[in-house]
Amino acid sequence: MPAKDLGTKHVCYKCQTKFYDMKKPDPLCPKCGADQRESPALKPQPEGRRGRLAAAPKVIEPIEPEEPAAAGEDEEEELETFEDEEAAAEPEEEDI
């Protein structure tokens, strides 16, 4: 049964020594002198780790397809050039 007049029991985070703080305001390890209030277990985790889990998923916007009317105009231009080439080629064939 623990003695209540010895204070709070601690385990040093540096050297793993078990000790009582003797009701002193500063819980210092008697073996290595480490202040137990500076323990890494008592410090909150950095925001980087918590922030990643709570971040909303990134929304990817759909790509809009090109208008088919613009493609139709290109085809008409190609047909016109093809007809012009045929017309230029026909007189040569007639000469033969």
Side-chain angles (χ1 to χ4, degrees):
M1 189 160 164
K4 295 189 182 211
D5 59 337
L6 297 178
T8 308
K9 186 175 183 179
H10 295 277
V11 177
C12 180
Y13 69 93
K14 283 189 175 180
C15 66
Q16 304 301 314
T17 302
K18 297 177 184 177
F19 66 96
Y20 288 95
D21 64 0
M22 302 297 209
K23 296 184 181 178
K24 294 180 182 175
D26 301 332
L28 301 175
C29 175
K31 189 172 182 180
C32 68
D35 189 352
Q36 300 306 301
R37 295 176 293 178
E38 298 173 1
S39 171
L42 298 177
K43 293 182 182 179
Q45 291 185 353
E47 289 296 322
R49 287 187 157 201
R50 280 192 258 153
R52 258 190 285 149
L53 297 175
K58 186 176 181 180
V59 178
I60 301 173
E61 296 180 14
I63 300 172
E64 297 180 12
E66 294 182 13
E67 296 180 13
E73 292 174 2
D74 292 338
E75 290 176 5
E76 289 177 11
E77 290 176 11
E78 289 176 11
L79 289 176
E80 289 174 5
T81 21
F82 182 69
E83 290 173 1
D84 292 340
E85 290 173 3
E86 283 184 1
E90 285 179 11
E92 292 174 10
E93 291 177 6
E94 290 177 7
D95 292 337
I96 301 178

